[in-house]
Amino acid sequence: MAKSGKLVVLLGVLMTFSLSSHVTGQIRPKSGLFPIGDSYYDVGNKKYLTKEFLPSTTWPYGKSTDRPNGRYSDGRVVPDFIATFLNQPIPIPPALQNDADFTSGAGFAVGGATVLDGPSETMTLAQQVEKFGDMKSTWDEKFLSEAIFVFQIGTEDYLNFSKLNPNPDASTQQAFVTLVTNKIKTEIIRLYSLGARKFAYQTLAPLGCLPIVRQEHQLEGEDCYEKLNEIAKQHNDKIRPMLAELAKTYTGFQYTVFDFYGAIERRLAVADSDTIFNNYRFSNTVNSCCGIGSHNAFGCGRINVHSKLCEYPREYLFFDGQHNSEKANEEMAHLFFGADKDIVGPMTIRELSVYPIGMNMLEY
């Protein structure tokens, strides 16, 4: 009986939300946003951690917005679009920018970040969570409980693992995946203890299909390095059960998972089908827009590297050897915010943002 009552309340909230969206054409501001992870979500933190020249702070990064600002793309990244969909009044600022306005949240993701130990010029997942803990008093408890914590991390861990272990046996590979995902679980629990309640997780891409990986392994055409794809799949398969377990264990813990792997995989097939091309509008899903080499995947923006630059980045799935173009990031953000259950679930970010605080997730 109690569960039925909660369901009625939830449906009422969602109906009100839907009706107001149709009337105004906009999403009412509801949730703060806290991007956590690596270069896919970095909104400018990396430049505060290194004195070395950083390509992402200069042209051609930011080409499509005419404003290089530390983002690893020709323009905006996924959290930028999600913030817009949430009707945030200002872009999400990097947490390491001392004079920033953190009214709507802060970005803790850093280029090169790892789950496990990483280089000194970045921040591991644990260090990002620690930084959030240091800044926690910036926001009140209610704001944090309503905020969306978006994750994208692990790419660097597995790229490094693959270089050090080109032919790992099954047990070694599985042990490493377990080590990484257990650490992610630990840090999510720590965020919960610091007041976070709503978690949106973006899975890993098909890592073996990144242009830089194809180029390093001297693959031809559309071939991918399947050993890396396999480890990415093993990692992704552990994420949703892990979050489901946490939702059953911790009161008010809410989550959603975006199948980034599947979304990229579908777009990698553009060259094989005119129908898919018409749907996704990428003319090149194999090479990078910016760089040099067989897949144009190395050296974008680096000093003394004479990188090639495509004329129109929006035709490319990848801007550099590892990161998506702004157009691709926009598509990913739309999917994360409001796609069907085959792509994001058990609910979308849009639904997560209005899901009643303190209510345990219902079965879908």
Side-chain angles (χ1 to χ4, degrees), residues 261-272:
Y261 188 107
I264 294 296
E265 187 177 46
R266 284 186 287 276
R267 284 155 180 80
L268 290 172
V270 163
D272 297 331

Side-chain angles (χ1 to χ4, degrees), residues 50-89:
T50 180
K51 295 181 180 179
E52 301 294 326
F53 171 74
L54 196 61
S56 63
T57 62
T58 189
W59 194 89
Y61 286 93
K63 178 182 185 296
S64 295
T65 56
D66 198 29
R67 192 167 66 92
N69 53 15
R71 287 161 171 79
Y72 291 77
S73 181
D74 60 297
R76 291 164 288 181
V77 292
V78 169
D80 292 315
F81 289 105
I82 292 175
T84 300
F85 302 158
L86 290 170
N87 204 24
Q88 300 291 5

Side-chain angles (χ1 to χ4, degrees), residues 213-321:
V213 174
R214 285 169 157 165
Q215 185 165 306
E216 288 175 347
H217 289 274
Q218 301 179 351
L219 300 175
E220 296 182 1
E222 299 172 8
D223 291 342
C224 297
Y225 186 58
E226 293 302 331
K227 290 181 180 179
L228 258 173
N229 282 351
E230 181 59 34
I231 199 170
K233 290 177 183 176
Q234 289 181 10
H235 172 95
N236 293 342
D237 286 346
K238 288 181 175 291
I239 296 303
R240 192 185 293 262
M242 174 192 75
L243 293 172
E245 177 190 344
L246 294 176
K248 293 177 182 178
T249 304
Y250 294 94
T251 302
F253 185 103
Q254 301 166 8
Y255 75 92
T256 188
V257 179
F258 169 46
D259 180 17
F260 185 49
Y261 188 107
I264 294 296
E265 187 177 46
R266 284 186 287 276
R267 284 155 180 80
L268 290 172
V270 163
D272 297 331
S273 168
D274 290 337
T275 301
I276 295 177
F277 175 76
N278 291 333
N279 288 340
Y280 299 129
R281 299 180 182 178
F282 293 109
S283 64
N284 193 318
T285 64
V286 176
N287 304 321
S288 307
C289 167
C290 176
I292 60 172
S294 61
H295 289 74
N296 213 38
F298 173 77
C300 182
R302 289 177 181 264
I303 298 174
N304 298 326
V305 176
H306 300 292
S307 299
K308 299 176 183 178
L309 182 66
C310 68
E311 183 176 349
Y312 191 52
R314 291 178 71 84
E315 291 183 347
Y316 281 70
L317 182 63
F318 298 100
F319 179 67
D320 65 16

Side-chain angles (χ1 to χ4, degrees), residues 5-67:
K6 287 184 178 180
L7 182 58
V8 170
V9 171
L10 173 61
L11 291 174
V13 170
L14 293 177
M15 288 177 66
T16 301
F17 173 73
S18 177
L19 287 171
S20 66
S21 298
H22 280 294
V23 172
T24 65
Q26 292 183 328
I27 304 302
R28 293 179 181 272
K30 170 70 175 177
S31 306
L33 192 65
F34 293 90
I36 292 173
D38 55 27
S39 52
Y40 285 85
Y41 278 11
D42 190 351
V43 293
N45 279 310
K46 180 77 169 183
K47 62 179 177 284
Y48 296 103
L49 292 171
T50 180
K51 295 181 180 179
E52 301 294 326
F53 171 74
L54 196 61
S56 63
T57 62
T58 189
W59 194 89
Y61 286 93
K63 178 182 185 296
S64 295
T65 56
D66 198 29
R67 192 167 66 92

Side-chain angles (χ1 to χ4, degrees), residues 185-227:
K185 179 180 178 180
T186 296
E187 296 307 323
I188 288 178
I189 292 172
R190 187 148 69 112
L191 277 171
Y192 177 90
S193 72
L194 291 169
R197 292 295 181 270
K198 297 174 181 282
F199 301 89
Y201 201 102
Q202 178 174 309
T203 65
L204 297 178
L207 301 181
C209 298
L210 297 177
I212 190 63
V213 174
R214 285 169 157 165
Q215 185 165 306
E216 288 175 347
H217 289 274
Q218 301 179 351
L219 300 175
E220 296 182 1
E222 299 172 8
D223 291 342
C224 297
Y225 186 58
E226 293 302 331
K227 290 181 180 179

